[in-house]
Amino acid sequence: MKPSPKKKTSHKRKTFYITTPIYYVNDVPHIGHAYTTVAADVLARYKRLRGYETFFLTGTDEHGQKVQQAASHHGVDPQMYADRMVVAFKELWEHLTISNSDFVRTTEERHKRVVQAVLQKLQERNVLYQASYEGWYCLPDERFWTSEDVVDGKCPECGRPVEPLSESNYFFKMSAYQDRLKRHIRKHPKFIQPESRRNEVMGFLERPLKDLCISRPRARLSWGIPFPFDPDYVTYVWVDALVNYISAPGYGSDERRFKKWWPADVHLAGKDILTTHAVYWSALLMALGLELPKTLFAHGWWTVDGEKMSKSRGNVVDPNTMAAEYGTDAFRYFLLREVPFGQDGDFSKAAVTTRYNSELANDLGNLFSRTLTMIERYSGGVVPKPHPKAVKTDDRRMAALAKELYKTVGQEMDRFAFHRALREIWTLVDFANRYVEQNAPWNLAKAPKNQARLDTVLYHLAETLRILAIYLFPFMPTTAQRMVTEIGWTTPLDQAIKPMDYHWGKLKPGRPVQKGKPLFPRMEPPTGITKQETVEAATPSKEIRMESTQTEPSLITMDEFRRLELRVGRVVSAEKVAGTDKLLKLSVDIGTEIRPVVAGIATRYAPDLLIGKMVILVANLKPAVIRGIESRGMILAAGDKEVEALATFLEPVKPGSRVK
């Protein structure tokens, strides 16, 4: 029989194109700019590690009335003003180790040419028309509104006053694409994320969609890109800005390159510019005959100590200052660990310090420092060789946890669930810390007969740290690269690594370690925050309790309920907290780690009666320092003002099991 011909295989490399919005240069960058850009950088680095050829675009939006006015206020022309302001963004991205592939400025000729080509094509396709307009104008948003839209003389988007305006302009027939856009959103549920934003856009599209004014008379606003077929008008700043997503990858100038990258895999944006991206941009792309981006993800806003950020309040967070104070990697870590990406979050220095000391200094930093110190002390400063006959169950379990991270971290990253990805990584960090205590290398070193076991334990710790560094690299690139360097693994992490490098056992024994300074030296709480800072609603004691209410309970959605991570825990130790009659310090085994938990149940339970008791732990509760003790979870109990009984189980349950 004649053999069948071999099927040709494609060797085309996988690509990934991600963008941030381009940022307006009328003011200096703040935490919101940093948040979006760090998130994009984490995704870009993650994809590169997984073997994707990645194009990561950011830049600045430099036209429009606000820039023209800001330049006039400073006594310079708009171009000079933009040239000065763009430096602040580029310097911040360097400070935050942002790995963007390109930086687009809307005042660049390469961008202007594409904007004019887009306008010309829209004109040729008969989707533009000229008409007189009379209505209301919002200067901060540079948007027109009808009388029906305006609320009490204010912009429906930003809430600031609008002013009457009457003039002739060019309009884009955006209304013609309403039904097509709705069909696209229904057919592609991942197009707009998270789901709440998708619902928001669909709600917007339930109302009649108006045509979009895409010009400004040059007599009123000279600072913009002129229309190619009518020099009396300049391009509306939002149309100008949105076109950057196709101008940078080569639309109209390098068709081969453009086809390589478009459609974009992810547009990241804040929720305040959701409509312009989901509706305006989508309709423009449809009119141009181009595919829509695969995903538009709109994240939430940051408040500061519970208040909205504003210059008048003086609480605008400077990302340069935070990175300088806590370290760039720690700041990056906090931004993506503190709140689910897509939801609003609250920033406070107390919260940064708590996570820094608890998770970075104590958990990761201490594990790394102890491991290298023990290798120096007990193995002559080189990574020892593990002995197969000395391998035990906990060694195999740690290797299995490391193997599972490829799937679990990947799933969460693909869902934009950065906080969950980090939580998965921390299951290995926590296990490794527990492994150190259980195996006690300092005791093994006391007897020569234990050398094989000691070498095996130290190798497993070093290899765990190598694998942790790979997964942490997108979030904390400088720290992760330093970790592998000091462990003795020479592969640079700022490029695609081989798939096999994720596998257990790739750290070669005999490599010298080079212990440096602590990764994350402990920090003192910020001024005004004591070490015994407590958090309301942590326990039902006088100082920390959940007040009962006579009103009907508010309802939550299933999505909100699913945010709770309830785990089965087994109490392994319990003791009273000094200075209070109501608090107990518990150690709770949840399978992958033992958690310290402070609970206000001492008036109901004696410590010795709790040992071995199975409880329900809220495992993803933000850590709190209570009476100087870090508490990492909440035990569920019944009772109003006093505890009546712990929530437990009728049947035996394995610690760490999910409670649903």
Side-chain angles (χ1 to χ4, degrees), residues 252-550:
S253 61
D254 189 336
E255 208 58 33
R256 183 177 179 182
R257 182 170 180 265
F258 181 68
K259 286 181 179 179
K260 174 181 178 179
W261 295 115
W262 192 260
D265 291 273
V266 182
H267 284 332
L268 288 186
K271 65 180 183 179
D272 54 324
I273 53 176
L274 173 63
T275 303
T276 49
H277 281 77
V279 180
Y280 296 8
W281 182 226
S282 297
L284 284 166
L285 288 170
M286 288 176 174
L288 292 169
L290 296 175
E291 290 184 70
L292 272 57
K294 297 174 185 176
T295 296
L296 164 61
F297 196 102
H299 62 74
W301 291 339
W302 284 92
T303 55
V304 179
D305 293 316
E307 294 186 345
K308 185 178 179 180
M309 271 195 302
S310 70
K311 282 186 175 182
S312 60
R313 287 188 175 97
N315 65 350
V316 177
V317 178
D318 178 7
N320 281 295
T321 301
M322 291 298 102
E325 184 172 348
Y326 291 94
T328 293
D329 280 0
F331 180 59
R332 287 169 60 110
Y333 175 86
F334 175 83
L335 289 177
L336 297 180
R337 179 67 181 90
E338 182 70 1
V339 295
F341 195 64
Q343 298 181 19
D344 292 342
D346 188 57
F347 182 91
S348 72
K349 294 185 71 174
V352 181
T353 303
T354 297
R355 283 209 182 272
Y356 178 98
N357 284 335
S358 171
E359 297 168 16
L360 299 182
N362 287 0
D363 294 349
L364 179 63
N366 192 41
L367 173 66
F368 187 77
S369 179
R370 293 173 82 186
T371 299
L372 266 62
T373 296
M374 290 186 292
I375 290 175
E376 288 180 339
R377 187 173 298 167
Y378 307 135
S379 187
V382 299
V383 177
K385 182 178 181 180
H387 297 260
K389 292 184 179 180
V391 173
K392 295 186 177 181
T393 300
D394 54 352
D395 306 331
R396 288 188 286 269
R397 187 175 178 188
M398 188 152 69
L401 275 175
K403 180 181 179 181
E404 290 170 7
L405 287 184
Y406 192 87
K407 178 181 178 181
T408 58
V409 171
Q411 288 174 335
E412 302 301 354
M413 293 294 283
D414 290 343
R415 295 171 184 150
F416 305 92
F418 302 111
H419 69 299
R420 287 201 197 118
L422 285 166
R423 191 171 69 202
E424 292 295 335
I425 295 168
W426 243 252
T427 61
L428 185 56
V429 174
D430 291 335
F431 187 93
N433 276 306
R434 184 179 171 188
Y435 175 89
V436 172
E437 296 301 323
Q438 291 176 339
N439 286 279
W442 48 90
N443 288 332
L444 293 173
K446 294 177 181 178
K449 66 178 182 179
N450 296 327
Q451 190 61 50
R453 179 61 189 156
L454 176 60
D455 288 347
T456 301
V457 168
L458 294 180
Y459 179 84
H460 276 69
L461 286 169
E463 177 65 342
T464 295
L465 288 168
R466 180 191 72 84
I467 291 173
L468 282 170
I470 295 174
Y471 288 103
L472 288 171
F473 178 74
F475 299 92
M476 300 187 287
T478 304
T479 299
Q481 186 60 59
R482 183 184 153 193
M483 286 173 67
V484 295
T485 299
E486 292 188 14
I487 290 169
W489 198 54
T490 57
T491 301
L493 296 175
D494 59 352
Q495 59 189 31
I497 64 172
K498 298 175 182 177
M500 291 297 291
D501 287 334
Y502 285 94
H503 294 190
W504 185 268
K506 295 304 174 182
L507 181 61
K508 294 181 180 179
R511 303 294 304 222
V513 300
Q514 303 172 19
K515 184 183 176 184
K517 296 179 181 179
L519 294 180
F520 300 100
R522 281 190 64 82
M523 300 189 72
E524 289 299 313
T527 304
I529 305 297
T530 68
K531 291 183 179 180
Q532 294 188 2
E533 180 192 25
T534 60
V535 176
E536 290 293 331
T539 67
S541 66
K542 180 178 179 182
E543 306 100 306
I544 317 156
R545 78 173 174 270
M546 297 179 69
E547 294 287 356
S548 62
T549 176
Q550 299 301 316

